[in-house]
Amino acid sequence: MPTRLPLVLRRCHACASERFRPNGKFRVNAHHKLLDAWLLVLCASCGDTAKLTLLERMNVRSVRPELLDRLHANDMSLAAELLQDPAVQRRNRIALDWDGAWRLDTGGADHPDGDVLDVSVRFAARIPVRPTRLIAEGCGLARAEVERLIAEGSLVSAIRLGGRLSGDFTFTLKR
């Protein structure tokens, strides 16, 4: 589950820092019948403001009224959605840093001591995380132990557990 908005990785023109904090504020500017919209981000070092382009010279009638209302209301959930949009990331040449921006919620369930443990992992947001890290934290194991269990076939999944994932998956742990 996300705990805050991720940091934006982009170079600051004022102090050469590489991290910006999104604060959920938008700027909308009208040029007669055309709109521009930006998400404002603050440099983590100097506090300078940068703008991430969301809409550029869009006809007012082509923008959904509910989107425009959310932009004007500085909707934090809209900021989270737009930051994760690959088109916005590409357009602004940014990447996201999710370190410390999420937490693992196991639902408070105790871990059964049975021989086989079937687990279903559900993401509340598209946060890229290493499955081995999630499994280690959720099962109370060291990451090296998780890697060893994968290598010996005691930890199996339909998806590849190496690399990063941002979608739901299941795995089986045989003890």
Side-chain angles (χ1 to χ4, degrees):
M1 300 187 74
T3 56
R4 63 169 171 80
L5 292 175
L7 295 177
V8 174
L9 299 177
R10 174 182 172 173
R11 190 168 186 83
C12 178
H13 70 279
C15 72
S17 171
E18 304 233 350
R19 299 197 186 300
F20 283 83
R21 291 184 322 272
N23 59 1
K25 304 261 188 226
F26 295 94
R27 169 127 192 258
V28 180
N29 197 12
H31 306 279
H32 303 288
K33 294 181 183 178
L34 303 176
L35 285 179
D36 290 328
W38 300 277
L39 173 63
L40 302 178
V41 292
L42 303 172
C43 177
S45 295
C46 69
D48 196 41
T49 303
K51 300 185 291 189
L52 303 179
T53 303
L54 305 173
L55 302 174
E56 195 168 33
R57 303 291 181 187
M58 294 281 297
N59 191 311
V60 174
R61 293 180 187 257
S62 66
V63 178
R64 294 185 330 267
E66 57 274 2
L67 173 63
L68 201 52
D69 290 342
R70 290 177 76 187
L71 288 169
H72 285 300
N74 291 322
D75 186 348
M76 189 67 82
S77 63
L78 178 62
E81 289 172 32
L82 293 172
L83 277 173
Q84 294 179 39
D85 184 359
V88 171
Q89 291 179 16
R90 238 184 345 272
R91 169 186 267 173
N92 292 286
R93 295 184 188 100
I94 62 169
L96 301 178
D97 179 8
W98 284 96
D99 287 345
W102 61 274
R103 70 177 169 83
L104 180 63
D105 183 12
T106 59
D110 293 329
H111 305 294
D113 293 329
D115 291 339
V116 177
L117 180 64
D118 286 319
V119 178
S120 178
V121 179
R122 303 280 176 245
F123 285 78
R126 292 183 49 226
I127 302 171
V129 179
R130 294 186 185 282
T132 53
R133 181 175 177 189
L134 284 179
I135 294 167
E137 285 186 27
C139 296
L141 302 170
R143 282 186 58 189
E145 177 71 9
V146 171
E147 296 288 343
R148 186 186 63 74
L149 289 170
I150 292 171
E152 68 184 28
S154 297
L155 178 61
V156 294
S157 177
I159 55 104
R160 189 172 72 81
L161 295 174
R164 293 183 182 264
L165 278 178
S166 59
D168 301 342
F169 69 97
T170 60
F171 67 91
T172 302
L173 176 61
K174 303 170 196 161
R175 295 183 185 195

